[in-house]
Amino acid sequence: MSRLPQWVGGLGAGLTRLAQRLEEQRRRAEAAAADADPEELRRDASTPGGLPPRPAFAPAVGSAGTLTATRTAGADTMDTVDGVPRAAATDAPSAIAALPPDSVPAPPSYAPAVAARPDPVAAVPWGVRVAAEVGWRLLVLAGTLWVLAKVITTIELVVLSFIAALLITALLQPTVAWLRNRGLARGLATALTFIGGFVVMGLVGWFVVWQVQDNIGSVADRIQQGITELKGWLLKSPFHVTESQINQIAKNLQDAVGHNTEAITTAGLEGVTVILEVFTGILLAMFTTLFLLYDGRRIWTWLLKLMPGAAREGVAGAGPRAWRTLTAYVRGTVIVALIDAIFIGIGLWILDVPLAVPLAVFIFLFAFIPLVGAVVSGALACVVALATQGVFAALVVLAIVLAVNQIEGHVLQPFILGRAVRVHPLAVILSVASGSLIAGVGGAVVAVPLVAVTNTVVGYLRAYSKEQALRMMPAPHGATAIGAVPTEPKG
């Protein structure tokens, strides 16, 4: 028992020396880590197997499970510290401490290879990506058009009045320019043209109403006579129609009118509302036409200022071209419609068809609806001729209408309109149908000039963008510049 305190004291002294050695090794490791080369450690970490090569002094496992120190070639002895090689005790901790904290060791060589996942963008086929890009842009465009159509439907009266004012201005503006060239002031030329144009249109409308009221009685008598003749022809026809069947058809028509009296009354009230809207639209179109004739150039300049600076030059070039297209369309259509009305009206007058002048005016007005208007007005003239003058007169009127339409389509329109309005017949049919579905008769009238103006604007902007792209290209140099220099033609 007397030696126990000595043993305890010796154990404590040994532990103290061990702690001092460990502290000294830690300081050496920190000093070595501060002086170590990170690039060399990274190169060592990227060796096959994911681990750096084991140094020559690293301990190896013997057959009995004990650690043995391997010697390097030409080395007989190795300095150890408490059974641990000094190099391993100093260099290994410094190498471990020198590794970056976010480094991940590579998997061992026996681990199975795992294929890397491809980029999601690269995994989608090119065609699908293109279809998706085009698809969402089409959806945005369709949504924009839908909103625009809703807005136009809500303010349909204002939109149609403004478009009608544009068409009338395109018709009257050359007269204003002609009067100003003769020395008249802008205000006086605008006033004379405006008053004269609307007075002529008002007189034409009054004349049509007067002719209809003056001849409606005789037309009704002739229609009743025509119905009687048609009834007699049906009784003698090979269709074996009996008089009781004809009377039953007439009774059914009378019953249908009696049962739908309320609907007819409602339609009459709606007709009053329509008349009020028509007068409102006429007044709005008149005021808009007056200001467009007087101050159209200043209005266009103001609109140009609202455009972005990058697009202002292109829009400034497209606007006058669009206006020339609209002016050419309106003037050409008026001339063609006037020729159609005159020739068909003369044919109706020669055949003694009643309401010849009102029918000629209707033919003139319906000519502003391409293709469809000629068919409707010609059918109306044939029906009136059939009901009042018989089958022969109706066939003659049909022949006159077809002949005039053929001359119009193959001679008048190409000669008068020329290449100012280049719209395919399919585009005409589709635009008229779309315009009539959106805004009725007014939409059918303005559909074709709108398509013609759009075609002109798009064509100019496409050519303008190509020209701008050529201007932005770098200038040729060297041999290319020599080849690009224009040369004078020989001879």
Side-chain angles (χ1 to χ4, degrees), residues 13 106 124 178 211 232 272 290 338 370 381 387 403 468 488:
V124 180
W178 182 80
Q211 286 290 317
V272 175
L290 177 62
L338 186 62
Q468 290 298 109
E488 296 182 359

Side-chain angles (χ1 to χ4, degrees), residues 170-187:
L171 180 63
L172 300 180
Q173 193 270 337
T175 305
V176 176
W178 182 80
L179 291 176
R180 292 195 63 185
N181 292 333
R182 295 299 182 275
L184 270 71
R186 183 177 62 175

Side-chain angles (χ1 to χ4, degrees), residues 162-475:
F162 179 75
I163 295 178
L166 278 179
L167 297 177
I168 297 173
T169 303
L171 180 63
L172 300 180
Q173 193 270 337
T175 305
V176 176
W178 182 80
L179 291 176
R180 292 195 63 185
N181 292 333
R182 295 299 182 275
L184 270 71
R186 183 177 62 175
L188 182 58
T190 301
L192 290 178
T193 304
F194 175 79
I195 294 173
F198 278 95
V199 164
V200 169
M201 288 186 283
L203 288 176
V204 171
W206 169 81
F207 182 74
V208 170
V209 173
W210 172 59
Q211 286 290 317
V212 171
Q213 290 180 348
D214 190 51
N215 294 283
I216 191 67
S218 60
V219 171
D221 294 338
R222 292 191 181 185
I223 289 176
Q224 185 65 34
Q225 182 181 358
I227 292 175
T228 303
E229 293 177 356
L230 179 62
K231 179 180 177 181
W233 181 80
L234 289 174
L235 291 175
K236 298 177 182 179
S237 67
F239 299 107
H240 304 289
V241 180
T242 62
E243 186 174 359
S244 60
Q245 293 175 338
I246 297 176
N247 293 333
Q248 185 64 33
I249 293 174
K251 184 176 180 303
N252 292 336
L253 292 176
Q254 292 176 357
D255 293 341
V257 173
H259 291 139
N260 295 302
T261 302
E262 183 178 356
I264 294 175
T265 305
T266 305
L269 295 177
E270 292 179 354
V272 175
T273 305
V274 169
I275 291 175
L276 293 176
E277 291 181 354
V278 167
F279 276 108
T280 304
I282 290 175
L283 292 176
L284 185 59
M286 291 175 63
F287 280 106
T288 306
T289 303
L290 177 62
F291 286 108
L292 289 177
L293 287 174
Y294 180 76
D295 221 8
R297 186 176 297 276
R298 188 177 301 176
I299 294 173
W300 171 245
T301 304
W302 176 76
L303 289 175
L304 281 180
K305 293 180 180 179
L306 299 179
M307 298 294 169
R312 190 172 300 164
E313 185 178 355
V315 175
R321 289 167 175 78
W323 181 251
R324 284 197 293 269
T325 299
L326 183 63
T327 304
Y329 174 82
V330 173
R331 283 190 290 180
T333 304
V334 167
I335 295 174
V336 171
L338 186 62
I339 294 175
D340 291 350
I342 290 174
F343 280 97
I344 296 178
I346 291 175
L348 295 175
W349 179 74
I350 292 175
L351 294 173
D352 198 19
V353 177
L355 300 177
V357 176
L359 287 175
V361 174
F362 281 123
I363 291 171
F364 173 80
L365 295 177
F366 276 95
F368 284 90
I369 306 177
L371 300 180
V372 179
V375 175
V376 174
S377 60
L380 179 61
C382 292
V383 169
V384 174
L386 176 64
T388 57
Q389 298 297 326
V391 178
F392 177 75
L395 293 177
V396 174
V397 171
L398 178 61
I400 293 174
V401 170
L402 291 177
V404 171
N405 287 334
Q406 290 298 316
I407 295 174
E408 170 193 345
H410 295 86
V411 178
L412 296 179
Q413 285 188 353
F415 178 74
I416 296 175
L417 296 179
R419 299 180 62 86
V421 182
R422 291 173 290 181
V423 181
H424 195 274
L426 180 59
V428 172
I429 291 293
L430 294 179
S431 60
V432 170
S434 302
S436 61
L437 290 175
I438 295 174
V441 178
V445 172
V446 304
V448 176
L450 181 61
V451 171
V453 169
T454 303
N455 184 32
T456 301
V457 171
V458 171
Y460 171 79
L461 292 179
R462 186 187 298 115
Y464 175 79
S465 62
K466 291 181 179 179
E467 182 180 355
Q468 290 298 109
L470 291 176
R471 289 180 180 178
M472 296 300 293
M473 291 178 61

